Amino acid sequence: MKKYLTFLSLALLLSALTTSCGNDDNPEDNFIPARDRAEEAPLSQAIIEEYLDTHFYNYEEFANPPADFDYQIKFDTIEGANANKIPLSQQVSFKMAKDRLKDGLEYKLYYLKVREGDGDRPEFPDIATITYDGIFINKEETTIDYTRRFDASTIPVRFDMTAIVNGLQDALVEFKGATEIITNPDGSVSFEGYGIGAVFMPAGLGYYVDPPVTSSIPTYAQLIFAFHLYENEMGDQDGDGVPSVVEDLNGNKLEEDDDTDGDSLPNYADADDDNDGRPTSDEIEIDGNGNITYPDEDGDGIPDYLDADS
Ligand SMILES: [Ca+2]
Ligand SMILES: [Ca+2]
Ligand SMILES: [Ca+2]
Ligand SMILES: [Ca+2]
């Protein structure tokens, strides 16, 4: 579930693919650069659309839930006894989602909204409590299955949405959490009115060439996450008192590209946003009710915590 950060570390992963160049003495020549992200994007989209055309989900169970139904989304191939099922392609929505590394590159991000949820909607840098089922779509490696589950949890897990794959972050904000959290007599917890959905993400919003080393995910794999969204908490990743959603200064709903002091630490992860040596937490004011104000001592329109000369 670690967010893809860099594609420079792929040398290790690709070493198995490059050993056939054994007559090459210079090991640096064995490095295969990552494919161009803009060229990969339409290929990813075609693979996802093929999957959506040829697969369905258990929508009939959701329409008429069996007594013991667990409300988990399950996918299957449209064939044989299931030849007449409605394909996912007729049931998904999509949004445009930005590539985090290549300016101007956007993806069509498909998601399935089985139930939006009736509680609060998370902001993109919040902490979300979810259960999930992660599946990859493989069209790269002939020795690996077409689809396979690579990770799942039926127990609710808290995730920092800035630290999960981008496609899942972008999908969760389209859903809402539960309205009620009920502690049962046996101590277990159940949720009501939570969001139920799935996202079908291109490799560029997944792991691209850098899947977790311990996972079975091939490079350039498209990913599917089915999930329940239960709870959200406000994210303040750097603990400076400024909610991370407020640290998105350019308002583009990406946390990675706002860096007031240019020190390569984005504001959401920078506890001294203007690099003046005073922690941001000392340059803002929070009253007893948790209301935050942002003083501007020199009146130049820039709040102190973003103003290196005040
Ligand atoms: Ca931003
Ligand atoms: Ca910074
Ligand atoms: Ca900050
Ligand atoms: Ca400061």
Side-chain angles (χ1 to χ4, degrees), residues 42-56:
L43 306 176
S44 289
Q45 186 175 324
I47 291 169
I48 289 167
E49 289 175 350
E50 179 188 29
Y51 181 91
L52 296 173
D53 281 336
T54 54
H55 290 75
F56 70 103

Side-chain angles (χ1 to χ4, degrees), residues 148-174:
R148 190 192 292 171
R149 171 178 294 125
F150 60 87
D151 192 10
S153 177
T154 54
I155 296 165
V157 188
R158 289 173 76 246
F159 282 108
D160 177 348
M161 286 169 62
T162 68
I164 58 178
V165 283
N166 294 317
L168 183 55
Q169 178 186 28
D170 292 343
L172 286 173
V173 296
E174 303 299 325

Side-chain angles (χ1 to χ4, degrees), residues 258-267 269-275:
D258 310 273
D259 183 9
T260 297
D261 56 15
D263 67 353
S264 300
L265 276 182
N267 288 14
D270 190 342
D272 178 7
D273 291 290
D274 55 7
N275 210 19

Side-chain angles (χ1 to χ4, degrees), residues 248-258:
D248 171 27
L249 294 177
N250 62 7
N252 67 350
K253 299 196 182 296
L254 302 179
E255 74 281 4
E256 301 98 334
D257 64 353
D258 310 273

Side-chain angles (χ1 to χ4, degrees), residues 4-15 31 209-211 213:
Y4 158 65
L5 287 173
T6 169
F7 52 87
L8 296 176
S9 62
L10 91 149
L12 239 177
L13 274 163
L14 287 186
S15 60
F31 180 78
V209 290
D210 200 16
V213 184

